[in-house]
Amino acid sequence: AKTKGRNAYQFFEPGLAAGVLERLMMETALRGAAGRGELRLHFQPQIDLRSGALAGVEALVRWQHPQLGLVSPAQFIPLAEEVGLISEIGDWVLQQACAQMVAWEAQGLRVPRIAVNLSVQQIEDPQHMARVAQALAHSGLAGARLELEVTESLIMRQPEQAQRHLQELLSLGVEFAIDDFGTGHSSLAYLRRLPLHRLKIDQSFVRDIGEDSGGEAIVHAVIALARALGLHTVAEGVEQPHQAEFLRQAGCDTVQGYHFGRPMPAAQLLERWLDAPAR
Ligand code: C2E
Ligand code: CA
Ligand code: CA
Ligand code: CA
């Protein structure tokens, strides 16, 4: 059997054998999934809290496996990163996301911005910049309408390199959001040096609204920090109206969550938002 690096030891622990086999099968199946047309993009609306208008969407990948059904990214993205398949998947996501924006526009729906998640390997890949440039050029989408989401932990792995890479990408006009803010160990000194546009408040803090005053204090502090750094805020995982109301009063700019819409296929987003009056 083919074993990989730090997982090799698992073969000597009987209880884990099934898990290893499952992983190997999954890896084999994931190889070429993009080429076989098994990946799907879903889009989750981001709503401007002041106007109620659609501010943008986040592109979230799914894997439609012939036997397993729709596999969640939480299951296959970490594996794809580990076995070096994320660049292939990431490229597909990027191209698809840009093409979809142009397609919506042709159908009469203008989505102001699309956010795409980046992985460590992508930002450490010297070819990444060219791939982003190509996705924009092929689709004809303006760079300013593409937002790349990076997590704190991704940045902090190699802060100087990440900073250089983001600066380069900036020349394409793209924007950057820091994802899952507050859950990683980031140095504010580094964050301040990055060309960021938006800060995404992690859903764990949003969940605390109305439940835990410490969590609410963190939400206020993050919004104040973002303001001080000149960044916009997006709160994630907003499931309830009282959370949205708290965020509005706290001065949060944009919200994303099941209360406003789950990640959905492109056609469904079009149906829901085409000619939708500002709420
Ligand atoms: P993320 O970037 O933090 O994305 C937000 C996740 O929260 C999504 O899960 C979304 O469906 C979920 N979510 C949104 N609103 C709510 C809510 O109100 N309540 C709850 N409980 N959850 C909500 P999803 O789509 O399963 O994606 C999971 C993670 O997989 C993402 O977390 C991201 O880290 C990764 N991922 C997804 N697509 C891609 C991709 O194209 N590339 C890379 N590198 N990673 C991706
Ligand atoms: Ca994200
Ligand atoms: Ca997030
Ligand atoms: Ca997350």
Side-chain angles (χ1 to χ4, degrees):
K2 187 171 66 159
T3 59
K4 284 209 177 281
R6 61 197 164 91
N7 293 310
Y9 72 91
Q10 290 184 345
F11 279 90
F12 301 99
E13 291 180 44
L16 292 172
V20 170
L21 188 61
E22 206 171 85
R23 278 173 51 90
L24 280 174
M25 287 168 63
M26 189 119 137
E27 178 187 336
T28 307
L30 193 53
R31 224 167 261 292
R36 289 191 305 272
E38 292 173 4
L39 299 182
R40 305 274 178 275
L41 267 195
H42 280 187
F43 306 89
Q44 187 173 33
Q46 298 180 331
I47 313 299
D48 182 296
L49 266 179
R50 264 171 297 265
S51 66
L54 182 65
V57 294
E58 178 175 3
L60 295 154
V61 69
R62 273 94 183 91
W63 177 21
Q64 181 67 56
H65 184 276
Q67 279 88 42
L68 300 172
L70 206 60
V71 186
S72 139
Q75 283 177 273
F76 70 89
I77 292 285
L79 176 66
E81 288 176 335
E82 219 171 297
V83 301
L85 289 172
I86 195 68
S87 287
E88 178 186 330
I89 295 173
D91 277 352
W92 180 86
V93 169
L94 201 59
Q95 289 163 15
Q96 192 68 25
C98 293
Q100 187 59 62
M101 288 288 274
V102 175
W104 275 323
E105 198 125 11
Q107 293 168 298
L109 177 68
R110 185 181 167 86
V111 178
R113 178 177 70 241
I114 192 159
V116 168
N117 293 280
L118 290 190
S119 289
V120 180
Q121 268 124 329
Q122 290 177 282
I123 94 163
E124 290 178 355
D125 180 352
Q127 295 303 309
H128 185 242
M129 162 97 172
R131 296 205 170 105
V132 177
Q134 197 181 33
L136 291 172
H138 272 186
S139 62
L141 186 74
R145 294 177 65 198
L146 176 65
E147 178 167 81
L148 302 174
E149 295 194 2
V150 292
T151 61
E152 293 172 273
S153 49
L154 179 154
I155 294 293
M156 293 315 291
R157 266 174 59 111
Q158 289 190 310
E160 274 97 8
Q161 192 190 331
Q163 189 191 348
R164 270 200 307 278
H165 189 69
L166 264 51
Q167 286 294 350
E168 277 174 26
L169 285 169
L170 199 61
S171 67
L172 299 174
V174 301
E175 303 200 331
F176 301 99
I178 192 114
D179 201 1
D180 301 347
F181 185 77
T183 62
H185 304 272
S186 60
S187 151
L188 290 179
Y190 275 117
L191 284 191
R192 199 168 67 86
R193 296 218 293 262
L194 296 173
L196 302 175
H197 295 82
R198 244 167 295 274
L199 194 155
K200 296 192 82 173
I201 303 170
D202 190 65
Q203 50 188 67
S204 60
F205 303 118
V206 173
R207 216 171 291 136
D208 281 344
I209 294 172
E211 305 283 331
D212 177 89
S213 58
E216 291 181 355
I218 292 176
V219 171
H220 280 297
V222 170
I223 292 169
L225 173 73
R227 282 244 173 94
L229 294 173
L231 306 177
H232 287 99
T233 44
V234 183
E236 286 193 278
V238 180
E239 295 182 351
Q240 293 166 29
H242 76 87
Q243 294 168 334
E245 183 51 26
F246 177 96
L247 289 160
R248 197 185 58 76
Q249 285 183 22
C252 180
D253 300 300
T254 314
V255 280
Q256 176 180 349
Y258 294 170
H259 176 58
F260 298 94
R262 293 188 176 238
M264 61 188 94
Q268 203 176 320
L269 192 104
L270 178 75
E271 214 171 278
R272 269 194 59 180
W273 287 94
L274 192 62
D275 300 324
R279 286 188 290 178

